[in-house]
Amino acid sequence: MIPTITAFEQSPDRGMGLARDTRVRWALEEVGQSYEVRLVSFRAMKEPAHLALHPFGQIPTYEEGDLALFETGAIVFHIAERHAGLLPDDANARARAITWMFAAVNTVEPPILELGNAKLLEGDRPWNRERLPLVEERVRNRLNQLSARLGNADWLDGTFSAGDLMMVSVLLRLKSSGILGEYPNLSAYVARGEARPAYRRAFDAQLAVFKSKPPGRLEGAANN
Ligand code: GTB
């Protein structure tokens, strides 16, 4: 059965691949599963039909027959469980790869999102000048730890897994900040992820959506 995902009709990142449908597209491309995309406007995301799929009125969602999922961690896990290629066969290695998926969304992503919020949504607040360095420090703390663990390895635990897919996706949000560049091994790790043919196909597919839309006013989005 061909799954359907949802994505922004007009992504506020202008096709840079930072909206979270990219990681779901990437997972589907890695396992060779074709998929369909239903584009939704910001208004439609808050209407009952979409809220029935996603209680928080966000993208992406994932529909496959009578199964409807939201949250990219759960969606990528579902894809990885049902197809070969994203989780190792060995039970312990599989559990560790899943641990990295959780680490990506629970431990590494939150300070990165906070940094985005501090820069994009709170930049004009009087307290921002004092707060921003603290937020940056929390990001660097996590990157120091992640960088130390990755060391010279290509991937976090042996071969590429859904854990790497999620971690690279999370780190990509930092590229424009310059902070990722302070960590050569993490920069190279992200570049390795971006170089994967499946990532390229996912990126190109989401970019094609942006290019197909006539230029106009882009609706705002919470930077989450
Ligand atoms: N935890 C959820 C998940 O992992 O699925 C988070 C989903 C989420 O944040 N979705 C965002 C959304 O629908 C799109 S990806 N936002 C609309 C809303 O909440 O009303 C986040 C995002 C937004 C904008 C950019 N950007 O412009 O660069 C990048 C990423």
Side-chain angles (χ1 to χ4, degrees):
M1 183 165 296
I2 296 191
T4 299
I5 67 167
T6 51
F8 282 136
E9 192 175 62
Q10 272 191 321
S11 182
D13 76 347
R14 301 182 161 265
M16 295 294 289
L18 299 178
R20 284 186 180 76
D21 56 294
T22 304
R23 54 182 80 165
V24 174
R25 292 173 187 266
W26 184 7
L28 289 162
E29 292 287 354
E30 287 284 351
V31 302
Q33 172 65 57
S34 57
Y35 61 97
E36 286 172 2
V37 183
R38 191 171 62 249
L39 301 176
V40 288
S41 66
F42 279 91
R43 190 186 318 148
M45 283 195 298
K46 308 303 175 196
E47 287 174 354
H50 188 78
L51 286 170
L53 294 172
H54 197 308
F56 308 115
Q58 296 183 315
I59 61 99
T61 57
Y62 176 99
E63 293 157 79
E64 185 191 319
D66 53 14
L67 173 68
L69 298 175
F70 59 96
E71 284 298 329
T72 52
I75 296 169
V76 171
F77 183 47
H78 172 78
I79 295 166
E81 276 213 309
R82 278 165 181 69
H83 302 268
L86 281 174
L87 288 174
D89 291 335
D90 173 76
N92 285 356
R94 196 176 179 89
R96 289 196 302 272
I98 294 164
T99 299
W100 280 116
M101 293 183 68
F102 276 90
V105 293
N106 273 355
T107 303
V108 179
E109 191 163 47
I112 292 175
L113 296 183
E114 204 44 46
L115 180 63
N117 286 336
K119 285 185 167 176
L120 296 174
L121 305 179
E122 301 164 356
D124 57 351
R125 302 298 174 95
W127 35 261
N128 188 263
R129 185 191 285 252
E130 273 188 71
R131 182 167 182 264
L132 191 57
L134 302 177
V135 178
E136 287 176 338
E137 190 182 323
R138 286 199 280 272
V139 171
R140 286 194 178 90
N141 279 344
R142 282 289 173 260
L143 296 193
N144 285 338
Q145 294 161 327
L146 187 64
S147 171
R149 173 53 80 99
L150 180 67
N152 293 322
D154 279 355
W155 306 114
L156 287 166
D157 193 312
T159 54
F160 176 82
S161 77
D164 295 298
L165 187 152
M166 293 301 289
M167 192 64 81
V168 169
S169 299
V170 161
L171 294 176
L172 274 166
R173 287 285 286 270
L174 277 178
K175 256 176 101 176
S176 62
S177 75
I179 294 183
L180 190 64
E182 297 169 20
Y183 300 85
N185 69 336
L186 294 182
S187 298
Y189 172 64
V190 169
R192 267 190 296 282
E194 289 179 293
R196 291 180 71 83
Y199 176 83
R200 297 296 341 149
R201 289 194 294 274
F203 181 90
D204 290 348
Q206 62 79 38
L207 181 61
V209 172
F210 178 73
K211 285 187 170 166
S212 71
K213 297 287 161 195
R217 195 181 71 82
L218 292 175
E219 294 171 271
N223 179 55
N224 42 21

